[in-house]
Amino acid sequence: MRYLSIDIEATGLNENDYMIEFGMIPFCTETKKVEDSLARNFYIKCPSFETLKPRLDKWVIEHNEMLIHKAHVTGLHMDSFRDELETYLISKEVKNYFKNEKNEKIILFGKSMSAIDLPFLNRDLSWEFMRKHFHHRNLDLSSTANTLIDLKFIPAECSSGSKLMSFLGMGEVKHTALEDAKNTALMYLKLLDMFQRKN
C-alpha cells in the first residue's frame, strides 16, 4: 500500500497551541521506498517567541525557540498553507503516485497521531478539508509498535519513539517535521522487513 507520512511541530500539546511546521512524504510498502521527489515542508505563521514564551513549556523554550522564530518570520498564514497543501494533494504528480489505490482517498500515516497531528489538522484545516482529501482510516506507528510489543517481537521500551529509533539503528529523533515524517516511514518499513524475515 501507499501512504502519506506526515508530522507536525507545534508550540505545545494544548488545544490553544499553534501548529508551526508541517512535513510530509509519500511511501510505498511494496517497493519499500519513500518518494523524496514528493516530500514537502511548510512553516506556518505564529506569534513571536517573546509573545508566546510565558505560556510555553520548558522543553519547548529550550528546544524550539529558533523554530518558533522562523515560523513567525517566514511562515505561511493558515489560509495560504491550506491552499498550498490542497494544490499539492490535487497535483498530477501526487494523483499519479496514489493512482493504484483504487481511487480511494489518501491514507495518512504518522506517530501518535491522535495526540497532536489529527486534532490540530482538523482544527486548523477544517473537518471538511480533512474528509475531502484523506481517508477516514489512518495508520499509526505508535499503535503498530504496541502491537509488536504485545507479540513479544520488539522490546517493551520501543513504545517510545526515540527508543524505537535507537532499536532500529536510526539515531535520534530530529524534531523537525519533514525529517521526522521521513524517519517514521522508514521505521515502519524496517519493522515490516524484520517481521517478514522472521516469518
Side-chain angles (χ1 to χ4, degrees):
M1 295 183 70
R2 293 185 172 187
Y3 301 93
L4 182 63
S5 183
I6 65 168
D7 186 74
I8 76 169
E9 296 297 325
T11 59
L13 301 178
N14 298 312
E15 61 179 334
N16 294 320
D17 283 317
Y18 293 88
M19 178 165 59
I20 55 176
E21 187 183 14
F22 177 88
M24 59 185 171
I25 185 168
F27 72 101
C28 177
T29 59
E30 294 183 10
T31 64
K32 301 291 198 308
K33 292 180 179 179
V34 296
E35 188 54 55
D36 286 300
S37 68
L38 294 176
R40 298 290 186 276
N41 196 73
F42 301 95
Y43 295 101
I44 303 160
K45 190 169 287 294
C46 66
S48 70
F49 179 78
E50 292 73 20
T51 301
L52 293 171
K53 188 175 180 179
R55 72 184 205 191
L56 296 177
D57 291 339
K58 182 179 178 181
W59 188 95
V60 175
I61 293 172
E62 292 176 351
H63 294 87
N64 278 358
E65 179 177 356
M66 294 304 296
L67 177 57
I68 291 171
H69 178 72
K70 187 166 188 176
H72 172 66
V73 174
T74 69
L76 296 170
H77 289 285
M78 188 57 67
D79 287 347
S80 297
F81 166 60
R82 186 187 299 113
D83 291 344
E84 290 278 348
L85 179 57
E86 185 162 50
T87 298
Y88 170 89
L89 294 170
I90 65 176
S91 68
K92 180 179 178 181
E93 294 80 7
V94 171
K95 284 187 171 294
N96 283 342
Y97 183 84
F98 288 100
K99 68 181 179 181
N100 293 323
E101 303 305 303
K102 302 178 182 178
N103 292 320
E104 291 190 356
K105 296 175 184 177
I106 293 171
I107 299 175
L108 292 175
F109 170 85
K111 177 169 59 70
S112 300
M113 293 179 71
S114 63
I116 180 170
D117 302 77
L118 293 179
F120 278 48
L121 290 170
N122 278 312
R123 179 195 70 185
D124 293 340
L125 298 180
S126 82
W127 180 274
E128 290 76 16
F129 182 97
M130 296 296 289
R131 299 291 81 75
K132 177 182 177 181
H133 293 291
F134 303 116
H135 204 286
H136 64 276
R137 292 192 298 268
N138 59 75
L139 182 62
D140 192 295
L141 181 67
S142 302
S143 298
T144 300
N146 285 340
T147 299
L148 295 176
I149 290 168
D150 288 340
L151 292 170
K152 311 299 182 187
F153 184 75
I154 58 177
E157 60 264 24
C158 288
S159 61
S160 159
S162 59
K163 296 291 186 183
L164 180 59
M165 278 197 75
S166 178
F167 174 75
L168 294 172
M170 293 180 59
E172 298 181 354
V173 178
K174 301 298 183 183
H175 294 295
T176 59
L178 182 55
E179 285 185 277
D180 285 353
K182 183 173 182 176
N183 284 335
T184 303
L186 292 173
M187 282 192 281
Y188 184 69
L189 294 175
K190 278 179 172 282
L191 287 172
L192 288 182
D193 187 59
M194 288 173 59
F195 193 81
Q196 290 165 351
R197 287 173 183 270
K198 187 171 182 178
N199 291 279

